[in-house]
Amino acid sequence: MSTPASTWTVEAAAKILLEAEATRTDRHPITDDWPALDLQTAYQVQAALIADKVAHGAKIVGVKLGLTSAAKQRRMGISSPLTAWLTDDMVLEPGAPLKINDLIHPRVEPEIVFVLDKRLAGPGVTRESALAAVGSVYCGLEVIDSRYTDFKFTLPDVVADNASSAKFVVGELKCDAGELDLALEACALSVNGNVVDSATGAAVQGHPAEALALAANALAERGIALESGWIVLTGGMTDAVFIEPGNQIAAEFTHLGSVAIAGA
């Protein structure tokens, strides 16, 4: 049964999404019941959701970017990547299995990962000033797990759902971002040893540091800065692929090494 639009609040929406995650139960988009949910309010839902996690012991360790490709942005009617939060309970250590039954319908996508060694605050952040705030760069894999059935949602829905965040793993090879051409950094994504997709860093807003700059400026509009030590997932380089028990998803990069996740 649908919930009447008049009963929806930021707190109610956050609670429903948290319950869906905790019970591993997908649902129809919130905007089906609350059509007035807009992007600004969706970020308020996201903030309430993360505040609840922090209140229950989670620690914010960084941010992730979504919709970093220009084509996806045009399709969704936005001009900057989406931002969402990373918490310490999302971290998957290299070699640790991904417990599929703890999730709803996980997908995996390869990422170029920044770790900041300087605080980065907009407005006015450029690719160059964003890259200057980066201490090191790694390869990574993000596990996304929408709380909406079949990954079908509107833009406010996915923002409220913390951009489908679930888990992530960072590769072990640490590199200096200033020594790499990250736009040309290539990645091959494989499932059980078979390459299924490939891309370069240019798929991420033309350059991962460009995506970081746009995100820093967008966050500044909400009074938020990126803090030193934070992890930044710069956005999926390829389409995400489903992972099932027994599957291994791996990403091999030109200079950043490799990283893999095994479903269990």
Side-chain angles (χ1 to χ4, degrees):
M1 177 181 292
S2 297
T3 304
S6 60
T7 67
W8 283 92
T9 64
V10 166
E11 291 72 20
K15 181 179 179 181
I16 281 176
L17 289 168
L18 286 165
E19 288 177 348
E21 181 179 0
T23 60
R24 302 182 298 280
T25 305
D26 55 0
R27 55 160 287 124
H28 58 274
I30 289 175
T31 52
D32 284 1
D33 300 331
W34 191 15
L37 178 67
D38 57 18
L39 193 57
Q40 180 179 359
T41 307
Y43 272 116
Q44 294 173 8
V45 174
Q46 183 190 103
L49 184 152
I50 293 300
D52 184 274
K53 288 178 178 283
V54 170
H56 286 87
K59 178 184 177 182
I60 292 174
V61 296
V63 299
K64 59 165 282 187
L65 311 184
L67 298 181
T68 48
S69 78
K72 289 181 180 178
Q73 287 176 14
R74 286 193 298 269
R75 191 179 310 137
M76 299 301 285
I78 61 171
S79 58
S80 295
L82 303 183
T83 57
W85 297 102
L86 302 175
T87 55
D88 56 351
D89 55 353
M90 297 178 188
V91 176
L92 191 66
E93 296 297 331
L98 178 69
K99 297 179 181 178
I100 304 298
N101 288 339
D102 288 347
L103 303 169
I104 301 170
H105 43 194
R107 296 181 180 183
V108 180
E109 58 190 18
E111 308 251 352
I112 290 174
V113 182
F114 291 146
V115 177
L116 303 182
D117 73 350
K118 297 178 183 177
R119 190 172 190 263
L120 185 62
V125 176
T126 63
R127 177 198 297 190
E128 291 72 23
S129 60
L131 199 59
V134 174
S136 51
V137 59
Y138 301 81
C139 65
L141 289 171
E142 184 188 6
V143 180
I144 56 174
D145 191 38
S146 175
R147 269 52 72 172
Y148 303 117
T149 304
D150 297 328
F151 276 82
K152 293 181 179 178
F153 42 69
T154 68
L155 184 61
D157 287 307
V158 69
V159 167
D161 190 32
N162 200 40
S164 306
S165 298
K167 299 286 184 181
F168 68 93
V169 60
V170 176
E172 297 181 283
L173 181 61
K174 177 181 178 180
C175 297
D176 184 338
E179 296 179 354
L180 299 175
D181 187 336
L182 292 176
L184 295 180
E185 182 69 14
C187 166
L189 184 69
S190 65
V191 179
N192 298 330
N194 299 311
V195 174
V196 296
D197 208 345
S198 63
T200 67
V204 183
Q205 201 63 42
H207 190 288
E210 192 70 48
L212 176 60
L214 288 170
N217 291 329
L219 285 166
E221 295 176 2
R222 308 204 306 273
I224 300 168
L226 295 163
E227 301 296 340
S228 175
W230 275 8
I231 299 166
V232 181
L233 303 185
T234 59
M237 298 171 69
T238 71
D239 284 339
V241 296
F242 280 109
I243 182 169
E244 299 176 348
N247 282 359
Q248 183 179 66
I249 312 295
E252 183 79 30
F253 288 73
T254 306
H255 300 99
L256 297 176
S258 60
V259 63
I261 291 178

